[in-house]
C-alpha cells in the first residue's frame, strides 16, 4: 500500500490533534496529513498554514470528499462524534475516533454496528497501552518475574477538573458532554490496567461530586455548577482472581499525581508519573524481585519503543505507536489496534460503573456483549 492519506476533523492550531496526531503523522512514514477541517474558515486557514497543507476546509463534507484522504480522524467534542463518525463511515473511509467513542452506550452500539455493516476499518484513541514501560511490564508478568499477580492499586489525578477553569473548557464539568473525569483520565488508566492485567470479573464503584461548583476565571469569575463526579473509586476482582482498586480525583494533588503498584507472589512493579493522565505522560518503572527489600529503577529495553519514531515527546509518542500499528494493519490485513468493537466494551464498562454507583451494588461482568 502506498502512503496513506489522513484528514483530521477538528484540527485547529492549539487543539489536541495539533499536539498529538499531527507530530505523530509527520514522523510515521506510512501516513501523510492531506486535509484538515474546522468549524470556521479562519481557523481552517490557520491550520493549513501552520501544518503545511493546502486542503483546509470549514466543513467536514469537503474533507470527506477529498480523494486523497483514506483515514479520517475525528478529534472534536464528544457530542459531535455520532454525526461526524457516521458521515465518515458513509463515505467509506477508515475512521480513527478519539475516545470516548460516543456520549453513551446506545450511541457507541449504533456506531459500532454502522461501521461493521459498512465494512470499514476503525480505530479508537486508547493509546495508553503503547507505553514502552507498560509493554515491558506485560512481558515481565508473562515471564513470571513477579510470580502470580495477587493485587493492584492505582491512584491518579485528572489534572484538569480542579476548582477553576476557562469558558472554553467549562464543558468538562458537565456530565452530559462526555468529557468527564470518569470517561477521560480514569477510563484511559483503567483501560491500561485491563490490557495489562485482565478484565474485571466483579466491580463496585462510588462516584462522588467532591466539587459542586467551579469558577470560570476568564468570564468575570462566574461560578457554574459541576455535574460530573470528580472523585472516582473502583474496587473489584479481575478475571485472574487478583484484587484491584482504582481511585481518581479531579484536579491535582500536592502528593503523587499517578502511582500504580502491581503486587505478585514473588515481586512488585511500581509505575509513577508527575502527570495523572497516563495516556499522555512519561512513566517511570521500578521493580523488586525475590529477596529484594525495596523497588529500584528498571531500564526498559529499546525494543519496546522501536515503533515510536525518535524525537517525539509527550502526547505524540503513544499516538505515533498506534499509527505505526494501524499502518501495519491496513497493509497486512491484520487487526491489532483497538477498534470500535473494543471501544464498545469500554462503554459497557462505563455503564457498569455508573450502575454500580447508582445502585450501591457490585456488578458482575460476564464479558463483552456484541454491539
Amino acid at each position: 500500500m502506498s502512503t496513506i492519506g489522513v484528514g483530521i476533523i477538528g484540527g485547529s492550531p492549539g487543539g489536541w490533534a495539533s499536539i498529538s496526531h499531527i507530530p505523530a503523522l509527520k514522523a510515521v512514514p506510512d501516513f501523510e496529513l492531506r486535509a484538515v477541517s474546522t468549524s470556521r474558515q479562519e481557523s481552517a486557514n490557520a491550520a493549513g498554514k501552520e501544518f503545511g497543507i493546502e486542503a483546509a476546509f470549514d466543513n467536514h463534507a469537503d474533507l470527506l470528499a477529498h480523494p486523497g484522504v483514506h483515514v479520517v480522524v475525528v478529534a472534536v467534542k464528544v457530542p459531535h462524534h455520532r454525526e461526524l463518525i457516521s458521515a465518515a463511515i458513509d463515505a467509506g473511509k477508515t475512521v480513527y475516533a478519539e475516545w470516548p467513542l460516543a456520549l453513551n452506550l446506545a450511541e457507541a452500539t449504533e456506531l459500532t454496528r454502522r461501521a461493521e455493516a459498512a465494512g470499514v476499518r476503525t480505530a479508537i484513541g486508547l493509546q495508553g497501552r503503547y507505553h514502552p514501560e507498560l509493554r515491558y511490564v506485560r512481558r515481565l508478568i508473562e515471564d513470571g518475574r513477579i510470580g502470580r499477580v495477587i493485587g493492584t492499586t492505582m491512584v491518579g489525578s485528572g489534572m484538569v477538573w480542579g476548582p477553576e477553569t476557562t469558558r472554553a473548557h467549562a464543558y468538562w464539568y458537565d456530565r452530559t458532554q462526555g468529557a468527564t473525569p470518569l470517561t477521560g483520565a480514569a477510563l484511559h488508566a483503567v483501560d491500561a490496567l485491563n490490557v495489562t492485567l485482565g478484565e474485571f470479573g466483579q466491580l463496585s464503584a462510588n462516584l462522588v461530586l467532591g466539587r459542586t461548583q467551579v469558577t470560570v476565571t476568564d468570564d468575570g469569575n462566574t461560578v457554574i455548577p459541576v455535574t460530573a463526579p470528580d472523585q472516582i473509586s473502583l474496587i473489584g476482582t479481575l478475571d485472574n482472581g487478583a484484587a484491584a482498586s482504582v481511585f481518581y480525583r479531579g484536579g491535582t494533588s500536592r502528593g503523587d499525581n499517578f502511582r500504580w503498584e502491581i503486587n505478585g507472589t514473588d515481586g512488585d512493579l511500581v509505575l509513577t508519573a508527575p502527570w495523572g493522565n497516563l495516556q499522555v505522560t512519561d512513566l517511570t518503572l521500578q521493580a523488586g524481585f525475590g529477596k529484594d527489600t525495596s523497588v529500584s529503577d528498571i531500564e526498559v529495553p529499546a525494543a519496546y519503543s522501536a515503533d515510536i519514531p525518535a524525537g517525539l515527546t509527550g502526547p505524540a509518542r503513544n499516538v505515533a505507536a498506534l499509527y505505526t500499528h494501524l499502518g501495519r494493519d491496513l497493509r497486512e490485513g491484520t487487526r491489532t489496534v483497538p477498534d470500535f468493537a473494543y471501544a464498545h466494551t469500554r462503554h459497557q464498562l462505563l455503564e457498569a460503573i455508573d450502575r454500580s454507583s447508582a445502585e450501591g451494588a457490585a456488578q458482575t461482568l460476564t464479558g463483552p456483549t456484541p454491539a
Side-chain angles (χ1 to χ4, degrees):
M1 176 181 286
S2 59
T3 303
I4 303 165
V6 178
I8 298 178
I9 301 175
S12 297
W16 165 251
S18 72
I19 63 172
S20 57
H21 287 271
I22 290 169
L25 288 167
K26 289 181 177 180
V28 177
D30 279 341
F31 295 91
E32 179 181 45
L33 179 62
R34 292 179 179 165
V36 65
S37 71
T38 68
S39 59
R40 296 178 297 109
Q41 193 62 55
E42 181 182 6
S43 60
N45 291 341
K49 181 178 180 181
E50 180 170 329
F51 308 139
I53 53 175
E54 294 183 1
F57 308 110
D58 65 355
N59 68 86
H60 65 277
D62 288 339
L63 181 144
L64 295 177
H66 192 297
V69 170
H70 310 115
V71 175
V72 173
V73 175
V74 177
V76 298
K77 292 179 181 179
V78 185
H80 304 296
H81 278 202
R82 180 173 177 268
E83 174 192 1
L84 298 175
I85 292 171
S86 296
I89 292 171
D90 291 344
K93 308 290 186 177
T94 294
V95 188
Y96 180 161
E98 279 300 339
W99 171 262
L101 175 58
L103 282 173
N104 50 51
L105 178 58
E107 284 191 2
T109 301
E110 176 190 342
L111 292 173
T112 302
R113 288 175 176 170
R114 183 188 287 262
E116 290 175 348
V120 304
R121 298 296 297 269
T122 61
I124 190 72
L126 288 168
Q127 68 271 13
R129 68 186 61 205
Y130 294 109
H131 265 296
E133 291 79 9
L134 287 188
R135 286 186 273 186
Y136 190 41
V137 162
R138 293 197 286 273
R139 171 57 65 181
L140 292 171
I141 293 171
E142 290 169 2
D143 289 348
R145 292 295 307 279
I146 65 169
R148 178 173 57 87
V149 176
I150 55 177
T152 187
T153 303
M154 177 187 285
V155 178
S157 302
M159 310 311 291
V160 295
W161 300 288
E164 297 180 343
T165 191
T166 60
R167 176 55 59 184
H169 299 106
Y171 71 97
W172 285 339
Y173 296 80
D174 182 346
R175 68 178 303 157
T176 69
Q177 297 299 298
T180 69
L182 174 60
T183 64
L187 195 283
H188 274 286
V190 169
D191 181 63
L193 185 156
N194 291 151
V195 169
T196 303
L197 300 177
E199 298 294 322
F200 282 99
Q202 189 176 66
L203 175 72
S204 296
N206 189 30
L207 307 179
V208 176
L209 273 172
R211 293 186 176 91
T212 58
Q213 59 185 29
V214 60
T215 300
V216 183
T217 57
D218 61 349
D219 191 16
N221 286 333
T222 301
V223 175
I224 61 173
V226 175
T227 61
D230 62 344
Q231 308 296 310
I232 299 159
S233 302
L234 310 178
I235 186 167
T237 305
L238 303 179
D239 284 338
N240 62 8
S245 67
V246 177
F247 176 73
Y248 252 81
R249 63 178 79 85
T252 60
S253 170
R254 294 172 182 82
D256 294 331
N257 281 304
F258 184 79
R259 181 179 177 86
W260 179 11
E261 288 200 25
I262 302 171
N263 310 117
T265 55
D266 197 37
D268 304 284
L269 300 168
V270 179
L271 292 146
T272 57
W275 190 263
N277 288 278
L278 173 146
Q279 74 278 12
V280 300
T281 193
D282 293 325
L283 294 174
T284 296
L285 174 60
Q286 296 180 307
F289 308 109
K291 296 185 181 299
D292 292 342
T293 58
S294 62
V295 295
S296 57
D297 290 350
I298 183 169
E299 184 177 355
V300 178
Y304 291 90
S305 55
D307 52 6
I308 300 175
L312 287 180
T313 59
R317 297 182 75 245
N318 292 332
V319 172
L322 197 157
Y323 272 114
T324 297
H325 288 267
L326 177 60
R328 188 177 304 154
D329 282 350
L330 294 175
R331 287 196 314 271
E332 301 176 3
T334 52
R335 293 180 179 271
T336 64
V337 302
D339 59 8
F340 284 11
Y342 181 82
H344 185 258
T345 72
R346 302 301 87 187
H347 277 280
Q348 290 177 318
L349 177 59
L350 286 174
E351 186 172 81
I353 290 170
D354 280 330
R355 188 167 57 247
S356 175
S357 181
E359 298 176 356
Q363 303 293 306
T364 298
L365 288 76
T366 56
T369 302

